[in-house]
Amino acid sequence: MSNHGSTGGPAEGDTFDAGATSLLRQPKAVWATAGASVVAFMGIGLVDPILPSIAQGLKATPSQVSLLFTSYFLITAVAMLVTGFVSSRIGGKKTLLAGLALVVVFAALAGTSGSVGELVGFRAGWGLGNALFVSTALAVIVGAAAGGSAAAILLYESALGLGMACGPLVGALLGNASWRYPFFGTAALMAIGFLCITAFLKEQPKPAKKTSILDPIKALGHGGLASAAVSAFFYNYTFFTILAFTPFVLNMTPYKSGGVFFAWGVLLALFSVIVAPRMQARFGSLKVLGGSLVLLAVDVLVLGYGSHTAAIVCTILSGAFIGVNNTVYTELALGVSDAPRPVASAGYNFVRWFAAAAAPFLAPKIEEWSNIHIPFVVAAVTAVLGAGVVWVRRNALSHEAEELEPRHATEDSVSVFAN
């Protein structure tokens, strides 16, 4: 692959067929980065099953505890503008390690928090580290993976799905003893990831052209990328209403809540890696995305107005729609414009993560102003708005959507996961 040199190609001595399309035949550098990515994504859902425990332990309200997500994603969104600036100056490996080091430090500090304000602040530092790591990790995996960009995206989405599935489970297992333990556990796992990246990812030459802080903003001047980002903004509001607000609605023990969100994460992983490419091949990416967003809106409404059992079922089921959406959005963001992938990814993530910051803060506030059902009505509306943007801007998005590769480049990898 021609772009290995800039993003972290295979380490010397790795024995794999460079033309292989099997998702499992990757260089060690890719596996080390993907493994650390799993832990990074675990950090997102880690606090889900312990939100009520944190509220009780720190004598905080649901809206105060929800700021754990808001501070995390607000800093993540802003930091997306500097990730390319940093990585193009110090190199991909050093950027990954800097991000991992920040996560280790701030996750450990989060476990020592004596107040909800301290915890929110430490989560903000965690978000900065996560932004540096995750955005650079995607570029490394896409550039170094065997089997083309589609195989790389599936590998990245697999890491996302596995991390999102394991995060609530780890949070529940450790959090049942104390809400502090999941934070210490994340710090330990990320320290292991730091060592793996240090050992297996070779230092790469810096790109010839340095990225400026404004490049991701300029990239959003492309109509297709801007459309994907705006649609993803509305979708992310729905996504993180489910992730951050539903645990308070379910009001379950850490174990039970962790089990619900583990099942949710399993569906997310399966549908992002196996189902989404097959649906794209049959119906086309934009139809799949629009239909999945509408179905997610219906699911969220039933979650908000149904019985407790219906809320559990719909929470788990939402993972299927989220998995499909994540895969299609990622492919669109990376391929719809002619901007370099890291720059396009940074601009796209800059926009969509603001919704991830807003939803956890606004959902509890909306409940305080109205009732427990209305936050889900708002989330359903934003999912429909995301589908509306896809429909209205289909011409700007359709060129890339017609050329997405997953049905050809990942047939072998799909069969591996199916088995």
Side-chain angles (χ1 to χ4, degrees):
M1 295 177 64
S2 60
N3 55 354
H4 279 171
S6 63
T7 52
E12 246 178 64
D14 283 340
T15 56
F16 77 104
D17 178 2
T21 57
S22 171
L23 194 63
L24 296 183
R25 301 184 68 183
Q26 303 294 345
K28 292 176 183 177
V30 171
W31 285 120
T33 307
S37 297
V38 170
V39 182
F41 287 119
M42 280 174 55
I44 296 176
L46 183 83
V47 299
D48 253 37
I50 57 172
L51 285 175
S53 299
I54 294 173
Q56 183 179 1
L58 295 178
K59 296 180 173 58
T61 65
S63 59
Q64 288 175 320
V65 173
S66 293
L67 290 174
L68 292 176
F69 287 98
T70 298
S71 64
Y72 181 88
F73 287 114
L74 186 61
I75 296 301
T76 297
V78 175
M80 284 297 166
L81 296 181
V82 303
T83 54
F85 177 87
V86 172
S87 64
S88 65
R89 283 161 176 77
I90 69 174
K93 179 176 180 178
K94 289 179 181 176
T95 305
L96 287 176
L97 293 177
L100 286 168
L102 285 171
V103 173
V104 170
V105 170
F106 282 103
L109 287 173
T112 68
S113 300
S115 68
V116 70
E118 286 184 10
L119 185 54
V120 168
F122 292 141
R123 279 283 284 183
W126 186 340
L128 174 60
N130 207 57
L132 289 171
F133 174 80
V134 170
S135 61
T136 310
L138 177 57
V140 167
I141 292 174
V142 168
S149 63
I153 288 170
L154 282 189
L155 185 61
Y156 183 77
E157 292 297 336
S158 299
L160 187 155
L162 185 59
M164 296 292 271
C166 292
L169 194 61
V170 172
L173 292 173
L174 296 178
N176 193 59
S178 169
W179 64 263
R180 299 180 186 274
Y181 291 170
F183 297 108
F184 294 137
T186 299
L189 289 172
M190 277 308 224
I192 294 172
F194 184 97
L195 295 175
C196 289
I197 295 292
T198 301
F200 296 120
L201 183 62
K202 303 298 182 184
E203 190 59 78
Q204 299 300 314
K206 297 169 189 173
K209 182 181 177 183
K210 291 182 172 64
T211 301
S212 80
I213 291 178
L214 293 179
D215 281 349
I217 300 294
K218 293 176 181 176
L220 291 169
H222 185 279
L225 182 60
S227 300
V230 171
S231 178
F233 173 89
F234 289 121
Y235 156 65
N236 264 35
Y237 186 93
T238 308
F239 179 176
F240 284 93
T241 296
I242 296 170
L243 193 62
F245 185 63
T246 302
F248 293 107
V249 176
L250 297 180
N251 194 26
M252 304 165 77
T253 65
Y255 276 136
K256 290 181 179 178
S257 182
V260 168
F261 279 96
F262 173 72
W264 168 86
V266 168
L267 277 187
L268 189 156
L270 291 176
F271 273 73
S272 64
V273 176
I274 298 174
V275 178
R278 293 178 176 178
M279 292 179 68
Q280 287 173 271
R282 182 167 183 178
F283 302 107
S285 294
L286 297 187
K287 288 181 181 178
V288 169
L289 182 59
S292 180
L293 287 168
V294 171
L295 290 173
L296 179 61
V298 174
D299 180 83
V300 169
L301 281 177
V302 177
L303 195 166
Y305 281 93
S307 65
H308 190 261
T309 300
I312 292 173
V313 171
C314 288
T315 298
I316 295 171
L317 184 60
S318 69
F321 305 123
I322 289 169
V324 170
N325 295 339
N326 285 351
T327 293
V328 181
Y329 274 123
T330 301
E331 291 172 349
L332 286 173
L334 289 182
V336 74
S337 73
D338 55 1
R341 285 190 178 112
V343 174
S345 176
Y348 163 77
N349 282 304
F350 172 70
V351 173
R352 74 181 183 114
W353 286 128
F354 276 110
F361 175 75
L362 290 177
K365 292 293 185 184
I366 292 170
E367 181 199 8
E368 293 173 10
W369 300 331
S370 55
N371 58 60
I372 200 168
H373 307 297
I374 302 304
F376 294 103
V377 174
V378 175
V381 169
T382 55
V384 172
L385 287 174
V389 172
V390 171
W391 171 254
V392 172
R393 298 290 296 164
R394 62 190 181 278
N395 290 335
L397 294 168
S398 60
H399 174 70
E400 171 58 26
E402 289 167 2
E403 296 182 356
L404 293 177
E405 318 174 67
R407 40 276 191 194
H408 302 301
T410 57
E411 284 180 4
D412 291 346
S413 59
V414 167
S415 66
V416 166
F417 276 84
N419 292 335

